[in-house]
Amino acid sequence: MQIRRLLVVSDTVNSEGGLPALRAVTRVAVCAVIENPVAGVARDDLAELVPFGEELGELLVRKALAVLPNPAVAYGKAAIVGLAGDIEHAAAILHPRMGKPMRAAIGGGKAIIPSNVKVAPAGTAIDVPLGDKDDVWQFDHIDTITIAVPAAPRPAEIVVIVALSDGGRPRPRIDKDGARPVRAPDGR
C-alpha cells in the first residue's frame, strides 16, 4: 500500500446555535490518500484491498488519538474512491478489518462504526458520520464531520478517513424521547 498524503483535521466547537457548548467538543479526522491498485479493472475479487483496512485502521486511529485532547467517545470512518474505481473498493477497505484496530486503540467499541463511501472527483467533500463507540442509541453522540482533501482522490486513488470525537454534539437539545431542558456548566 502506498500512501501519497496524510491530512489531519482537528475541529473544536465552543458554541452552537448562538449558545455556548455544554463543554468544548473536539472532532479529529485523519485522511490517507492511497493508490487504488484495482482502479480501472473490472473484477469481483477485491481481496488485495482488504488488508489495507487493518493497516490504515491502526495508523489513522493512532494519529487521531495523538491530536484528540480527551479520550475518544465517538467514532466513524469514510472513503472517497477516485473516478477510476468503484464503491466496492471502499467497502473492501472499511468493513472487513478496519474496526478491530480502531476498537483496540480506543479501549472499547461495542457499537458499529458508522461509515460513508462515495465515488467522486478530487476535492469532493464527504460527511463522516460519528456515533458513540459503545451505545448506538446514545443520541447526543450522533454527529458528522465534513472532510475534503484538496486535489484528492485522483482517479486511481482512494481517500480513507478515520474520525474520532471526545464528546457528542456541543449543545444537544433533543434525545430519543423528545425535547429536554439543557443547562450549560454556568447554569444558562
Side-chain angles (χ1 to χ4, degrees), residues 176-187:
K176 65 183 173 187
D177 297 320
R180 63 175 168 176
V182 174
R183 293 220 180 266
D186 65 2

Side-chain angles (χ1 to χ4, degrees), residues 38 41 43-51 86-90 92:
V38 297
V41 180
R43 67 180 199 197
D44 285 328
D45 183 2
L46 301 176
E48 72 182 278
L49 295 173
V50 172
D86 74 58
I87 205 159
E88 287 302 310
H89 299 168

Side-chain angles (χ1 to χ4, degrees), residues 18-169:
L19 298 167
L22 297 180
R23 74 171 190 77
V25 174
T26 300
R27 301 172 297 189
V28 175
V30 182
C31 315
V33 180
I34 64 168
E35 178 184 348
N36 182 352
V38 297
V41 180
R43 67 180 199 197
D44 285 328
D45 183 2
L46 301 176
E48 72 182 278
L49 295 173
V50 172
F52 293 1
E54 186 171 12
E55 292 175 50
L56 289 169
E58 288 176 19
L59 173 69
L60 301 181
V61 77
R62 184 171 32 89
K63 290 194 172 292
L65 286 170
V67 176
L68 199 66
N70 298 300
V73 299
Y75 54 16
K77 57 189 178 180
I80 306 169
V81 180
L83 296 176
D86 74 58
I87 205 159
E88 287 302 310
H89 299 168
I93 295 170
L94 294 185
H95 300 312
R97 295 195 189 159
M98 183 174 265
K100 187 174 182 179
M102 289 177 65
R103 288 179 174 93
I106 65 172
K110 296 176 188 171
I112 192 167
I113 303 170
S115 65
N116 190 12
V117 299
K118 65 167 65 172
V119 176
T124 298
I126 190 165
D127 289 332
V128 184
L130 294 166
D132 187 272
K133 67 185 181 77
D134 292 313
D135 181 3
V136 70
W137 296 107
Q138 179 61 264
F139 280 32
D140 291 358
H141 293 176
I142 297 172
D143 200 1
T144 60
I145 182 169
T146 302
I147 299 296
V149 179
R154 293 175 178 164
E157 292 180 332
I158 303 172
V159 175
V160 180
I161 305 160
V162 165
L164 300 177
S165 177
D166 67 2
R169 293 187 314 279

